[in-house]
Amino acid sequence: MTDSAEFDLIRRKHHYRCSICRQPEKVTGTLLPVKGKAPEGDAVYPYPVCPDHHARYMQGFFTGIELKKIGISVEEYRIILAEITADREDGDGLSAAEKGSLAKEETIKKIQKAQKMKIPKVHSDYKKDI
Ligand SMILES: [Zn+2]
């Protein structure tokens, strides 16, 4: 989602504290990014939050006051959550095994196509000549 070097910088900018509860990373555990909007402008900005608030964000439990701290409205939050859900479905829609069987189907189709093409009967013709 976010370049980790960039997020490291942002974490430092926020003094390694959760954007919501202001608890330091040392206390809460590694801060995680949640999608918000930059303090200036409209750009997407990954705010560092504690694991607790990250879980709450992902579950759709952020309140209006909490959303204000990461620069988005309730409406924007809904859109972001919908996107997150869609991304998850995209990623996990096909298991590795399913992808493998799809690849197999492709191969079978290619073989069937090849079999439809005329193959000269070299071997049997050769026998006749003898
Ligand atoms: Zn927090």
Side-chain angles (χ1 to χ4, degrees), residues 1 32-35 49 51-62 77 80-82 84-85 88:
M1 170 177 146
L32 300 162
V34 294
K35 220 187 235 185
V49 297
D52 211 36
H53 275 113
H54 184 262
R56 288 182 52 136
Y57 179 94
M58 290 306 196
Q59 285 160 7
F61 290 154
F62 262 37
Y77 183 40
I80 290 166
L81 286 179
I84 290 168
T85 313
R88 271 194 196 153

Side-chain angles (χ1 to χ4, degrees), residues 91-109:
D92 301 332
L94 285 177
S95 68
E98 281 171 328
K99 276 175 192 165
S101 78
L102 271 183
K104 245 185 230 166
E105 266 177 40
E106 276 300 301
T107 310
I108 291 166
K109 271 180 200 163

Side-chain angles (χ1 to χ4, degrees), residues 110-123:
K110 271 181 200 163
I111 292 167
Q112 282 170 341
K113 207 178 169 187
Q115 281 171 342
K116 271 181 198 165
M117 294 192 305
K118 269 193 178 174
I119 300 159
K121 290 175 184 171
V122 177
H123 189 65

Side-chain angles (χ1 to χ4, degrees), residues 18-23 28 49-50 52-53:
C18 172
S19 300
I20 307 302
C21 62
R22 301 275 161 210
Q23 290 262 30
T28 64
V49 297
C50 64
D52 211 36
H53 275 113

Side-chain angles (χ1 to χ4, degrees), residues 30-50:
T30 308
L31 298 176
L32 300 162
V34 294
K35 220 187 235 185
K37 270 188 185 171
E40 290 127 30
D42 243 15
V44 173
Y45 184 91
Y47 281 84
V49 297
C50 64

